[in-house]
Amino acid sequence: MSSPVAELHMHIEGSLEPELIFALAERNSVQLPYTDLDDLRSRYEFTDLQSFLDLYFANMQVLRTAQDFADLTRAYFARASAGGVAHVEFFFNPQAHVNRGVPLHEVLDGIMDAVGTSEREFGLSSAAIAAILRDRPVHEAEEVFSEIIRLQTPIVGLGLDSAEVGNPPSLFEDVFARARSEGLHVVAHAGEEGPPEYIWQALDLLGAERIDHGVRALEDPALVARLVDEEVPLTVCPLSNVRLCVVDSLSEHPLRTMLEAGLLVTVNSDDPAYFGGYVDDNFAQLRDQLGLTDAERETLARNSITASFASDARKAQLLRG
Ligand code: HPA
Ligand code: ZN
């Protein structure tokens, strides 16, 4: 049995599987623009991040009630746990739901209900990170964050996602400063499609403790040195990078180069329902196509636990296997 893994970069809405989309559409009387499952599945071909985001946001329309969010979160926990994930820190996108008329408390109640029972139900510790949509106005981020704090929601951190190019971290300095002053952890997507400069900004302006993706850091040796020196974790998503054309193929993925450079790399699924698999699928395909060794897998598993925001006691427990 392999060592347990922590998944630190996945979007809960990105675990919405086609079957669940149809089931929730039925339950909520939502008219889908797809004739059947095959028609929906035929649309999972992406050319870049935006082409994926268009489908990701469109499919969220079936998520309406706290029950929907709880069912979605539990379905992911069950699948992740079966694949060897023992701890998860997942993103959710509050603006994507509030902006289409779903009350914030429905989102939070559903997600937090599942988080509250994950250890008992699935043997999986879990925590939620609210992710800001960087391609939406800054004031909207401020408003939704204020509401999450006012409701005293027990999230573990604040993140930044959605369309990266043209939406630099610098725009969100104030809301991230507020998150830090609230005692929250902060992370940011940077260097997926955007330039190394966005990774510098995430570190220097947002105080990001982890960089989500970060693969483009390799273009900037001074940045790599900084990330190695400060042991900043990079939550890399190999299958996502292939499906969104960030890299040409898994066999050409820079994961091993990153490990050899001394970067604190972890492997994650990002949006598993959209990108061809969960964390265990990422590891299996890395083994088959990149020749990932057992020793490298072990390093990546340990990195994921070290890089997590779990308590020291939980980390020690997970590191013991
Ligand atoms: N990048 C940016 N935003 C996202 C992603 C991603 O990989 N997945 C869901 N939202
Ligand atoms: Zn992501």
Side-chain angles (χ1 to χ4, degrees):
M1 197 42 200
S2 332
S3 317
V5 173
E7 173 145 64
L8 307 177
H9 180 168
M10 72 82 57
H11 305 259
I12 201 67
E13 298 92 341
S15 69
L16 185 54
E17 293 282 355
E19 292 79 4
L20 189 55
I21 292 174
F22 273 83
L24 293 179
E26 175 87 26
R27 179 155 100 188
N28 294 325
S29 305
V30 172
Q31 193 73 37
L32 287 174
Y34 319 120
T35 51
D36 55 22
L37 271 173
D38 284 343
D39 178 28
L40 170 55
R41 287 204 187 98
S42 74
R43 299 168 194 240
Y44 285 53
E45 296 258 351
F46 311 114
T47 50
D48 57 12
L49 175 57
Q50 190 61 56
S51 65
F52 151 70
L53 289 170
D54 292 344
L55 187 67
Y56 169 80
F57 289 123
N59 286 341
M60 282 182 207
Q61 64 168 315
V62 301
L63 295 165
R64 300 261 154 197
T65 66
Q67 187 67 55
D68 301 339
F69 286 94
D71 290 351
L72 171 71
T73 308
R74 286 200 169 89
Y76 163 73
F77 287 168
R79 176 63 187 80
S81 160
V85 175
H87 176 82
V88 57
E89 291 160 16
F90 66 90
F91 298 112
F92 67 104
N93 280 138
Q95 289 155 278
H97 310 302
V98 172
N99 289 355
R100 55 187 181 81
V102 176
L104 183 61
H105 70 84
E106 296 283 337
V107 181
L108 300 174
D109 288 354
I111 286 174
M112 289 305 160
D113 179 60
V115 165
T117 60
S118 71
E119 289 214 53
R120 193 168 74 235
E121 278 185 81
F122 306 103
L124 177 84
S125 43
S126 63
I129 301 174
I132 297 299
L133 297 179
R134 67 200 306 160
D135 50 351
R136 299 286 310 162
V138 172
H139 72 83
E140 198 180 280
E142 310 264 3
E143 284 155 19
V144 82
F145 180 70
S146 298
E147 195 56 15
I148 289 171
I149 294 301
R150 196 183 67 78
L151 294 170
Q152 300 190 314
T153 317
I155 56 171
V156 74
L158 188 71
L160 184 68
D161 67 2
S162 203
E164 186 183 4
V165 176
N167 300 302
S170 56
L171 294 169
F172 298 93
E173 226 180 309
D174 290 352
V175 69
F176 275 76
R178 277 177 61 207
R180 282 185 278 114
S181 74
E182 293 285 346
L184 292 173
H185 290 290
V186 300
V187 299
H189 281 54
E192 179 186 20
E193 288 188 343
E197 167 62 17
Y198 286 15
I199 302 177
W200 287 105
Q201 286 187 14
L203 297 171
D204 292 334
L205 305 182
L206 306 188
E209 296 163 71
R210 297 195 295 246
I211 299 296
D212 297 310
H213 292 295
V215 286
R216 289 196 58 192
L218 290 174
E219 296 168 26
D220 181 342
L223 176 58
V224 171
R226 160 102 181 259
L227 294 166
V228 170
D229 188 46
E230 296 183 8
E231 299 179 26
V232 179
L234 303 181
T235 62
V236 174
C237 305
L239 285 177
S240 164
N241 292 155
V242 174
R243 295 297 277 265
L244 299 188
C245 308
V246 168
V247 301
D248 289 339
S249 68
L250 212 52
S251 60
E252 292 160 86
H253 196 282
L255 182 76
R256 180 169 289 119
T257 308
M258 297 174 90
L259 278 172
E260 287 172 356
L263 291 162
L264 210 166
V265 185
T266 70
V267 166
N268 306 269
S269 69
D270 209 3
D271 299 281
Y274 290 88
F275 299 149
Y278 290 75
V279 165
D280 51 324
D281 300 310
N282 272 268
F283 277 115
Q285 293 193 39
L286 285 166
R287 183 193 58 216
D288 294 346
Q289 294 176 50
L290 198 71
L292 192 80
T293 65
D294 289 348
E296 285 169 331
R297 188 201 181 283
E298 197 59 29
T299 299
L300 290 160
R302 294 184 77 82
N303 283 355
S304 71
I305 291 159
T306 307
S308 78
F309 300 137
S311 68
D312 288 343
R314 178 68 176 147
K315 284 189 190 187
Q317 184 184 40
L318 292 168
L319 287 170
R320 278 195 300 271

